[in-house]
Amino acid sequence: MLKLQSMKKILITGGAGFIGSCFVRQTLQKHPDYQVINLDALTYAGNLETLADIEQNPRYRFVQGDIGDKNLVDKLFAEGLDYVINFAAESHVDRSISGPEIFVRTNVLGTQNLLEAVRKYWLPSAAPASLAERKYLQVSTDEVYGSLGQDGYFTEETPLQPNSPYSASKAGADLLVRAYFHTFGLPLLTTRCSNNYGPCQFPEKLLPLMISQALANQPLPVYGDGRNVRDWLHVSDHCAALDLVLHQGTPGEVYNIGGHNEKENIYLVRLVLRELQKPETLIHFVQDRPGHDRRYAIDATKMSRCFGWQPRYTFEQGIQETIQWYIQNQSWVDSVKSGAYQKYSAKGKENYGKL
Ligand code: NAD
Ligand code: DAU
């Protein structure tokens, strides 16, 4: 086994969240020669319990902190990073409607702070060869493209037309990545993925919320007529795609990621009830989300053309496994809702400021 000092270093921000935690685990498994640093602020959405099984891995370090904290980000970059992948974000559309400010702070200014560090630490000293080996990947979303009518798909050329404060903040970050690539020639990549599902998603998002409500025989709140369409992809398929883009992507490029699993919300909600053998009378149609995008659908042909990427999960298998996971892990759901784990787990937690 390689010594820690000679391993590659990857900074994963937002690694205590839903998708980031999957990527942390996948990276440790897939790249035995990598050291992983997980920088996460542990907002309500970040939970160390999700990563409890890898806390003691010598190739893994957790640093609690904000991507917008210049001193902290500088210290991490000064250690010498080979790869950076930015998952850290405020990610829930409904929260962006009730309180947009934190979305701009984290998603736009936080990203800009990371990009500044890339500029400061990777540009001046880097010989062209070493710069080519370094990569920064911005994990973005299909929501930056806005809403589709009944037909068509989002391609990488679709104009950005974000409709919520969340998607506007993600689009703002995407444009900064674009500008820092064009202006400074930095090795920056962007991906835009459709709706993810899978284990360890905070139970405010559609699927885990509906499962939780149904298990508790509580009403399932369906917005509007329930016929808005989302394009679903298993989180591990998303993470496999991100690994390919990070290692093989061309700087300056955008890559769309999606599963061609377009479903109306009401279809998914009924599927959950059927799987759990609960009655449809639990469905409650409630007031629509303001500015609710009608339909998302991703054209991911660039991913398959460039890297041969294809999702491994079928929708049916992935959803069934996911529902089973939530049934078997209700203590995880209770724990992340209450934030209990954070309070008693100090293991693997590093306060960088004190080092
Ligand atoms: P999440 O809300 O589950 O996790 C976000 C993580 O970021 C949390 O661990 C949180 O503590 C951390 N965080 C928040 N603010 C931070 C800050 N200022 N500094 C450091 N850490 C901070 O989100 P997710 O669903 O895992 O999404 C991850 C990324 O993927 C986001 O950028 C999101 O926009 C994007 N994305 C999500 C989906 C999806 O369906 N969930 C689809 C496409 C793209
Ligand atoms: O498309 C990618 C995006 O998917 C990511 O960028 C976001 O981070 C992620 O949160 C997700 O956004 P959505 O708004 O699509 O996800 P959400 O789970 O909030 O809602 C999915 C659909 O279900 C949407 O049409 C709204 C609807 N919905 C949602 C909730 C929470 C309901 O009908 N009832 C609900 O209670």
Side-chain angles (χ1 to χ4, degrees), residues 138-160:
Q138 177 71 9
V139 181
S140 188
T141 168
D142 60 358
E143 298 204 10
V144 297
Y145 295 123
S147 186
L148 289 166
Q150 280 194 332
D151 302 313
Y153 295 92
F154 295 133
T155 72
E156 289 81 359
E157 276 71 48
T158 302
L160 303 192

Side-chain angles (χ1 to χ4, degrees), residues 136-198:
Y136 170 103
L137 171 50
Q138 177 71 9
V139 181
S140 188
T141 168
D142 60 358
E143 298 204 10
V144 297
Y145 295 123
S147 186
L148 289 166
Q150 280 194 332
D151 302 313
Y153 295 92
F154 295 133
T155 72
E156 289 81 359
E157 276 71 48
T158 302
L160 303 192
Q161 292 186 318
N163 291 317
S164 70
Y166 162 68
S167 52
S169 68
K170 292 295 291 185
D174 287 15
L175 293 179
L176 284 168
V177 171
R178 178 188 157 89
Y180 271 68
F181 168 75
H182 279 280
T183 307
F184 305 115
L186 298 171
L188 311 175
L189 301 143
T190 304
T191 54
R192 298 187 180 132
C193 188
S194 60
N195 286 62
N196 284 213
Y197 67 90

Side-chain angles (χ1 to χ4, degrees), residues 14 16-20 39-43 45-46 65-67 87-89 91 106 139-141 166 170 193-196 201 205:
F18 166 49
I19 308 174
L39 169 64
D40 196 297
L42 296 184
T43 67
D66 185 338
I67 55 166
F87 292 94
S91 69
T106 296
V139 181
S140 188
T141 168
Y166 162 68
K170 292 295 291 185
C193 188
S194 60
N195 286 62
N196 284 213
Q201 187 170 32
K205 305 283 164 62

